[in-house]
Amino acid sequence: RGSRLETPPALASLACACSRTHVRARSRSFALARASARAMVQVLPFPAWPSPNILGASAQPSRPRAAAGAAGRVDDMRPCQGGCGLAAAPGSDRWGVPFDTCCRGCATGRGHEDTCAGFPLPPAMDDEALAMAMQVGELEGQHQAHTAGLRAERHSRAEAASVSDQLWGDLPSRVGEGSQGPSAWRRAGFFLLPCCFVSCTSAAGRRAWRTFLLSWSVTIALAQVVILVLAIQLHGGFVGVEKNPSIGPHYHALDAMGAKNVAKILHGGEWWRILTPMLLHGGVMHLVGNLLVQLRTAAVLELLWGHSAWLLVYVVSGAYATLASCVVLPKQLGVGSSGSLCGLIGAWLSFTLITWNQTLPYDIKARDQQVVSIIFSILMIIGLSFMPMLDFAAHIGGLISGASLAMAVFAGRLQHRGTRWATRCLGVVICGGLMIGTLLLLFYNTEVDDRLLHLCVPSDCK
């Protein structure tokens, strides 16, 4: 491309025809940019032709001038060798030779094209005018940076004012709420029970409700409610608070429904009792406390992980929590899904650490806050697990088994192949070792109380 090249007429016509559409599209953008540049420099004290910064930054953003340098000196602009009176096109060809014509027509010797977006040659520029032009460009850059900062600040304020949930979406706004967003009471309510603030009138609300109702979290919760109602109805109803502070049936009724009973597991062969305790609860208060976590946090984790991975972590963690409780507390009955829920919390921490480097830049702050909240929840669980009537072995066992199992389940999300296999193998070894070691302790190092073989509800005892 240039006056030094002698292009055959047929080849020149073919090249012109192939690039006509591209040149026309570029000519419109250059014409608009040139008009904007002329309007911007009309207020300058020197002659009204485009300043170098405007020519370099606005008129041709995708074709920087290699010969003009960072300052964009107009003195370096060369006249078109085709004799059209315009400046040569900025840039160079694939061999690094600067262009010496303004368009393809001048380059192929067919004459100047009407669609050419070249610039007229400006008059000579003295040092004072050049300094003024550079100052104008610097002020323009500062103004653009200031505008971008204001836009980012408005965006951050809007995000701070909004309340959102991964499953339920954004908190619907009310009429009369200003720029500060929802009140503190509505924020707290949406954080605890977002389902109470989302209706089925919108498509997003119906989609959220459908995802929630078709989840394993809700299915298992319904089964837990039905089983507690059956235990109360079939075994004498509610008992006094002095016998069951959780407001439920007698504890021996839970044994008939499948509670953890080490004597019946080892001597009676009722190994299904390792799984059934996660569906049983001591009473209404016990059930409500676990359902708040299961229907709020666990449902979001199921959406994030998928149904299969969530169910695997829930069941395996609950089963190991029962085994750990059998070894540590063999003379007590045990019920509740808290071991499974603790397993989900432990798996949540492993999942967050595995996907740590996959967070988008604007989600880093939320990720850090999430890790802090998970660690705080784990510490609170460990601290409260040693209170009376709480099974600390099941809670801690669920945390450890869930965290190790998540290493094996979610290791595929790691990008490096070696790290992926190392994490998966480590998770399998830890989780499998815990299972095997706990079973060995249960078989060979657990003292069984034979009185647990003959439990009955007082109203049914003969």
Side-chain angles (χ1 to χ4, degrees):
R1 179 180 177 182
S3 61
R4 297 185 301 274
L5 301 177
E6 295 181 0
T7 308
L11 183 59
S13 300
L14 179 60
C16 179
C18 294
S19 62
R20 187 172 301 153
T21 304
H22 178 63
V23 171
R24 288 179 179 175
R26 285 173 48 187
S27 63
R28 297 192 194 99
S29 61
F30 282 132
L32 292 175
R34 185 166 54 189
S36 301
R38 288 174 179 172
M40 293 169 61
V41 300
Q42 286 180 358
V43 297
L44 300 179
F46 46 88
W49 40 264
S51 66
N53 273 341
I54 295 175
L55 286 175
S58 301
Q60 298 203 34
S62 61
R63 295 170 58 186
R65 291 175 300 181
R73 291 181 59 88
V74 180
D75 297 340
D76 295 334
M77 296 178 65
R78 302 174 307 281
C80 176
Q81 298 298 322
C84 61
L86 298 180
S92 57
D93 56 17
R94 68 182 67 180
W95 296 281
V97 179
F99 296 136
D100 52 7
T101 56
C102 62
C103 60
R104 291 181 179 270
C106 292
T108 57
R110 295 182 294 102
H112 183 71
E113 296 179 352
D114 295 336
T115 58
C116 176
F119 301 105
L121 288 172
M125 197 178 206
D126 55 8
D127 294 339
E128 182 178 359
L130 179 61
M132 180 64 69
M134 295 179 65
Q135 291 180 4
V136 170
E138 184 178 356
L139 291 176
E140 290 175 359
Q142 294 177 359
H143 176 69
Q144 294 177 359
H146 179 67
T147 304
L150 292 178
R151 189 181 300 111
E153 183 178 358
R154 287 194 299 268
H155 180 69
S156 62
R157 288 180 179 177
E159 287 187 346
S162 64
V163 181
S164 179
D165 183 80
Q166 291 179 331
L167 175 60
W168 298 99
D170 297 330
L171 173 62
S173 59
R174 285 183 175 178
V175 179
E177 289 180 345
S179 59
Q180 300 298 328
S183 62
W185 289 106
R186 293 196 70 212
R187 289 171 180 265
F190 185 79
F191 177 78
L192 295 175
L193 296 173
C195 58
C196 299
F197 295 83
V198 179
S199 64
C200 297
T201 56
S202 62
R206 290 191 295 271
R207 183 169 57 252
W209 272 104
R210 182 168 57 252
T211 304
F212 175 71
L213 294 177
L214 296 179
S215 64
W216 281 111
S217 302
V218 175
T219 303
I220 295 176
L222 291 176
Q224 291 167 344
V225 172
V226 171
I227 291 175
L228 178 61
V229 172
L230 291 177
I232 295 173
Q233 292 293 329
L234 297 177
H235 298 281
F238 293 96
V239 297
V241 180
E242 65 279 358
K243 295 182 179 180
N244 187 350
S246 298
I247 310 178
H250 195 277
Y251 288 130
H252 292 180
L254 300 176
D255 177 69
M257 299 296 293
K260 181 210 81 175
N261 188 325
V262 179
K264 292 183 178 182
I265 291 175
L266 294 179
H267 297 333
E270 300 178 1
W271 290 96
W272 46 268
R273 289 180 179 268
I274 295 177
L275 297 176
T276 52
M278 68 182 72
L279 298 177
L280 296 170
H281 289 83
V284 176
M285 300 301 295
H286 188 196
L287 177 65
V288 170
N290 284 346
L291 287 186
L292 286 177
V293 179
Q294 183 167 313
L295 297 179
R296 178 65 182 98
T297 304
V300 175
L301 294 179
E302 184 176 355
L303 176 66
L304 185 63
W305 299 346
H307 303 296
S308 301
W310 184 93
L311 185 62
L312 178 63
V313 174
Y314 188 92
V315 174
V316 174
S317 299
Y320 181 77
T322 304
L323 288 177
S325 178
C326 289
V327 173
V328 179
L329 301 172
K331 299 180 181 181
Q332 298 179 8
L333 298 178
V335 294
S337 62
S338 55
S340 300
L341 298 178
C342 290
L344 294 177
I345 299 298
W348 191 9
L349 179 60
S350 297
F351 176 82
T352 305
L353 296 178
I354 288 174
T355 59
W356 185 267
N357 294 327
Q358 302 174 17
T359 307
L360 297 176
Y362 50 82
D363 288 335
I364 292 178
K365 183 178 180 181
R367 178 202 63 190
D368 297 341
Q369 294 175 351
Q370 186 180 89
V371 171
V372 173
S373 64
I374 295 173
I375 295 176
F376 176 77
S377 300
I378 292 175
L379 295 177
M380 186 172 63
I381 290 172
I382 295 175
L384 296 177
S385 297
F386 293 93
M387 294 180 62
M389 300 186 66
L390 292 181
D391 195 339
F392 70 92
H395 292 179
I396 298 177
L399 284 171
I400 299 175
S401 61
S404 60
L405 181 61
M407 295 172 62
V409 174
F410 302 120
R413 297 176 180 261
L414 293 170
Q415 298 178 354
H416 190 267
R417 183 177 181 181
T419 307
R420 183 165 58 245
W421 280 103
T423 304
R424 178 174 286 117
C425 293
L426 182 61
V428 171
V429 169
I430 295 176
C431 188
L434 288 174
M435 289 287 184
I436 296 174
T438 306
L439 285 173
L440 292 177
L441 290 175
L442 179 62
F443 280 118
Y444 300 107
N445 196 28
T446 302
E447 297 181 1
V448 178
D449 189 352
D450 293 336
R451 292 178 299 177
L452 295 176
L453 294 172
H454 309 286
L455 296 178
C456 63
V457 181
S459 59
D460 299 334
C461 293
K462 297 180 181 180

